[in-house]
């Protein structure tokens, strides 16, 4: 005699223990602590992935990675763009792309996002503070601190300057390559908006 699906489901529900508890593996995972560094790195990776997946001005393919270097005590964020026109490869363009990615990763307010592009031109807000100063001293450190935080509570002994201190070890690098493999890279701290650039070639470390 065949049982209908409804009868089988009812039988399984009746047979299940009333006071079911997590198994050993689930219990172990629930008891395992997550440190704030791991949480912050996961948050950075999520934001970097979103920034890389968003459309760039060249409509070219892009990739991104995040790595922590134990030897150098640096958090390195890498963005790579491929298949560009040779005319798109320049110091100024590399930094403008880099600033756009920094804006995405740090959740820049919508009305401030385009101002990242004006940093290289020395743009000054109405209040007199340069955009670079606002980004360096206020916005970017605040966002970094939030990434390496718990939403539910704040420890009393937490360093008030942790965002600023972490910003000193976070580096953002952009590499841009043409179809021929020639390219340019620009890399500096996340609070620097005119990063030094140098020529590079795809496939070379």
């Amino acid at each position: 005699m065949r049982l209908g699906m409804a009868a089988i489901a009812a039988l399984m529900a009746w047979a299940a223990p009333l006071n079911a508890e997590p198994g050993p593996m689930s219990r172990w995972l629930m008891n395992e602590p997550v440190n704030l560094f791991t949480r912050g790195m996961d948050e950075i990776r999520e934001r970097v992935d979103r920034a890389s997946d968003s459309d760039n001005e060249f409509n070219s393919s892009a990739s991104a990675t995040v790595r922590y270097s134990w030897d150098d005590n640096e958090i390195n964020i890498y963005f790579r763009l491929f298949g560009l026109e040779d005319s798109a490869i320049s110091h100024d363009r590399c930094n403008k792309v880099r600033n756009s990615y920094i804006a995405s990763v740090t959740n820049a307010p919508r009305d401030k996002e385009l101002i990242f592009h004006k940093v290289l031109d020395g743009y000054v807000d109405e209040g007199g503070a340069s955009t670079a100063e606002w980004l360096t001293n206020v916005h970017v450190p605040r966002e970094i601190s939030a990434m390496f935080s718990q939403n539910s509570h704040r420890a009393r002994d937490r360093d008030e300057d942790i965002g600023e201190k972490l910003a000193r070890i976070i580096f953002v690098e952009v590499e841009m390559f043409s179809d021929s493999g020639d390219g340019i890279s620009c890399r500096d701290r996340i609070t620097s908006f005119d990063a030094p650039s140098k020529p590079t070639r795809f496939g070379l470390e």
Side-chain angles (χ1 to χ4, degrees):
M1 183 175 69
R2 294 184 178 180
L3 291 175
M5 292 301 294
I8 292 175
L11 184 61
M12 291 177 66
W14 176 80
L18 296 177
N19 297 318
E21 294 186 0
M25 183 58 66
S26 298
R27 178 66 65 189
W28 183 87
L29 289 171
M30 291 175 186
N31 292 334
E32 185 70 7
V34 176
N35 61 62
L36 289 181
F37 185 80
T38 300
R39 186 195 183 287
M41 290 296 290
D42 288 344
E43 177 67 20
I44 288 178
R45 288 189 179 95
E46 287 181 14
R47 294 188 183 202
V48 165
D49 286 343
R50 285 198 299 268
S52 179
D53 289 340
S54 62
D55 291 336
N56 57 67
E57 61 179 292
F58 307 106
N59 293 318
S60 63
S61 58
S63 67
T65 56
V66 180
R67 296 192 189 110
Y68 173 70
S69 170
W70 288 90
D71 294 334
D72 301 320
N73 186 34
E74 292 177 356
I75 298 171
N76 292 292
I77 301 172
Y78 303 96
F79 291 99
R80 278 183 161 183
L81 278 72
F82 305 94
L84 306 179
E85 298 288 336
D86 289 331
S87 59
I89 304 212
S90 69
H91 168 85
D92 185 62
R93 191 59 64 87
C94 189
N95 273 280
K96 286 188 175 180
V97 170
R98 184 176 174 274
N99 290 346
S100 292
Y101 280 132
I102 293 174
S104 296
V105 171
T106 61
N107 286 340
R110 197 64 188 165
D111 61 332
K112 292 283 186 181
E113 185 170 352
L114 293 179
I115 296 178
F116 274 83
H117 293 294
K118 301 178 182 179
V119 171
L120 299 177
D121 301 324
Y123 183 85
V124 176
D125 288 325
E126 291 180 5
S130 73
T131 302
E133 289 173 338
W134 176 78
L135 293 170
T136 300
N137 299 326
V138 180
H139 179 72
V140 174
R142 184 177 58 208
E143 280 296 313
I144 292 172
S145 179
M147 285 189 270
F148 288 85
S149 301
Q150 293 190 75
N151 296 329
S152 57
H153 68 277
R154 185 184 186 91
R156 291 183 179 178
D157 61 348
R158 182 180 176 86
D159 189 337
E160 293 296 324
D161 299 323
I162 193 169
E164 179 184 343
K165 291 176 179 178
L166 282 170
R168 296 174 194 161
I169 68 167
I170 299 176
F171 289 79
V172 179
E173 178 174 346
V174 167
E175 290 184 297
M176 306 171 67
F177 297 100
S178 67
D179 285 328
S180 65
D182 292 324
I184 195 170
S185 67
C186 49
R187 177 183 186 271
D188 210 337
R189 286 181 172 86
I190 196 169
T191 50
S192 174
F193 309 107
D194 189 7
S197 64
K198 63 180 181 180
T200 187
R201 181 156 181 82
F202 182 71
L204 297 181
E205 296 295 332

